[in-house]
Amino acid sequence: MNATRNVIIDCDPGIDDSLALLLALKSPALNVIGITIVCGNVPTHIGAENALKILDLADRLDIPVYLGANRPLEVSYTSAQDTHGDDGLGNSQIPEVTAVRPIQDAVSFIVDTLTEAPTTSILALGPLTNIATVLQRDLQLFEQVEQFTLMGGSYRSHGNCSPVAEYNFWCDPDAAKVVFDLMPVPIQMVGLDVTRKIVLTPSLLTYIKDINPELGSFVEKITKFYFDFHWQYERVIGCVINDPLAAAAMIDPAILAGFESYTTVATTGVARGQSIVDDHDFWHTPANSEIMTDVDVPAFWRLFLTTVFGATEPDLTQVLNQLVTPCEK
Ligand code: BDR
Ligand code: CA
């Protein structure tokens, strides 16, 4: 495990972003110094309200939330409210936090933080508009970033917005391309190949509610809509939770494995948002990314269930032994 690392979380909460925030906030390996919001699953102002709701739940309203981009760099904005609900939290109608409000603006916060603390790590869980905007302003700011991990893209798995494109890259393909073209440190890409293996099943939810009724009922409330969506469109029983796996990658690097490659992103036409991984070195271009391909599913759940919900032995091992890994498609 890493020692505690300072991290900015750039996100679009979002049901799975919210679960990732809970994991990051509760992990002793991470010190979340700020949350920056980008338009993605929901418009930016709704995402910011949701981040505050999670901070309130975790009793961490001391962490600032910054408002970022309201639209992608070039293309028009398409939310994912069909997947996450109009409120981004599965239409759970959790009351807004009034004690603390979001702050302007995300880009200035990232610039100021990297100027003062250049080794700060970045965990990007939404479209990459905020990050690309900072890179375009001054890419040197990122030269000393300790770890840059993103949830997005897809190496060999099909997309979730088109046959080839994952949502975060599809929503702002130009920003994703800027990030892969300009980021001066390696990009750890946690894409759909690995996140699709992380399915919150009804059985796991039952266990979570049993060991932690307060957080468990919150998770049940926000994931019901997500469960229904997954059954209706993908015939998955439960829901895929993408973003917590990227947070887990930052907490415990042993959970994921992959390979180094040069990667870029298509921005237009039928391939819009496709991550193109040059795994055969056709372009003889130095690697700019580490593409994650393998995940230790029980290790992820062990981390998630102990850190967020306080799972303990011997029940935890008993539960993990009953995990059914989704079939490869
Ligand atoms: C990604 O898109 C969003 O819907 C999720 O929050 C996740 O970051 C998965 O494609
Ligand atoms: Ca997200």
Side-chain angles (χ1 to χ4, degrees):
M1 293 261 175
N2 296 318
T4 301
R5 81 169 76 230
N6 291 337
V7 61
I8 295 172
I9 303 184
D10 188 73
C11 59
D12 59 337
I15 296 167
D16 58 336
D17 298 76
S18 300
L19 299 176
L21 285 174
L22 282 176
L23 175 58
L25 292 168
K26 287 179 170 281
S27 169
L30 300 181
N31 177 30
V32 181
I33 59 170
I35 298 173
T36 54
I37 308 296
V38 64
C39 64
N41 292 323
V42 284
T44 311
H45 66 282
I46 300 178
E49 297 300 342
N50 292 342
L52 289 173
K53 290 174 190 176
I54 300 301
L55 289 173
D56 194 22
L57 185 69
D59 207 13
R60 291 302 312 272
L61 282 172
D62 55 300
I63 297 173
V65 174
Y66 295 89
L67 293 158
N70 287 312
R71 48 153 301 174
L73 293 183
E74 306 281 345
V75 301
S76 58
Y77 169 49
T78 308
S79 79
Q81 282 158 298
D82 59 338
T83 318
H84 292 260
D86 287 341
D87 69 350
L89 290 181
N91 295 334
S92 52
Q93 300 186 333
I94 293 161
E96 284 188 359
V97 173
T98 51
V100 180
R101 304 302 302 146
I103 306 166
Q104 294 286 359
D105 68 294
V107 166
S108 303
F109 171 71
I110 298 169
V111 168
D112 292 348
T113 303
L114 292 182
T115 304
E116 283 160 29
T119 58
T120 305
S121 291
I122 298 186
L123 176 62
L125 305 176
L128 292 159
T129 323
N130 291 338
I131 307 298
T133 303
V134 180
L135 271 168
Q136 285 176 321
R137 197 179 284 189
D138 183 358
L139 65 86
Q140 291 182 334
L141 283 170
F142 290 84
E143 273 174 354
Q144 294 176 60
V145 161
E146 198 173 277
Q147 186 169 340
F148 181 84
T149 296
L150 62 79
M151 190 282 132
S154 188
Y155 169 51
R156 287 206 164 138
S157 191
H158 56 286
N160 56 7
C161 282
S162 80
V164 295
E166 176 281 330
Y167 176 74
N168 289 336
F169 287 13
W170 180 89
C171 179
D172 193 342
D174 301 281
K177 179 164 164 49
V178 165
V179 168
F180 279 90
D181 287 355
L182 298 186
M183 183 60 71
V185 294
I187 296 164
Q188 185 183 34
M189 183 177 116
V190 180
L192 292 175
D193 302 83
V194 279
T195 65
R196 279 208 165 102
K197 297 186 177 145
I198 305 299
V199 181
L200 176 64
T201 61
S203 311
L204 281 169
L205 185 55
T206 301
Y207 173 59
I208 287 170
K209 283 190 297 176
D210 187 56
I211 56 173
N212 192 326
E214 191 207 345
L215 277 181
S217 75
F218 173 81
V219 173
E220 182 174 42
K221 218 184 263 180
I222 69 169
T223 55
K224 173 154 193 342
F225 188 90
Y226 220 22
F227 270 52
D228 294 345
F229 177 90
H230 277 78
W231 175 246
Q232 195 179 342
Y233 292 99
E234 302 191 17
R235 287 295 186 255
V236 168
I237 300 175
C239 60
V240 174
I241 53 169
N242 304 282
D243 294 335
L245 186 61
M250 214 169 237
I251 294 167
D252 182 359
I255 288 175
L256 286 159
F259 67 97
E260 292 183 359
S261 177
Y262 172 74
T263 299
T264 188
V265 178
T267 55
T268 56
V270 291
R272 167 180 161 170
Q274 180 177 14
S275 41
I276 302 175
V277 179
D278 186 13
D279 56 0
H280 282 66
D281 199 25
F282 284 105
W283 295 325
H284 305 300
T285 307
N288 60 354
S289 54
E290 189 184 11
I291 306 299
M292 310 321 288
T293 52
D294 295 297
V295 53
D296 182 341
V297 174
F300 166 81
W301 284 113
R302 179 173 291 280
L303 175 75
F304 189 66
L305 295 169
T306 53
T307 309
V308 181
F309 306 102
T312 51
E313 297 298 351
D315 289 355
L316 178 57
T317 296
Q318 183 72 16
V319 167
L320 295 181
N321 284 341
Q322 294 174 53
L323 273 182
V324 179
T325 310
C327 308
E328 300 280 346
K329 284 197 192 155

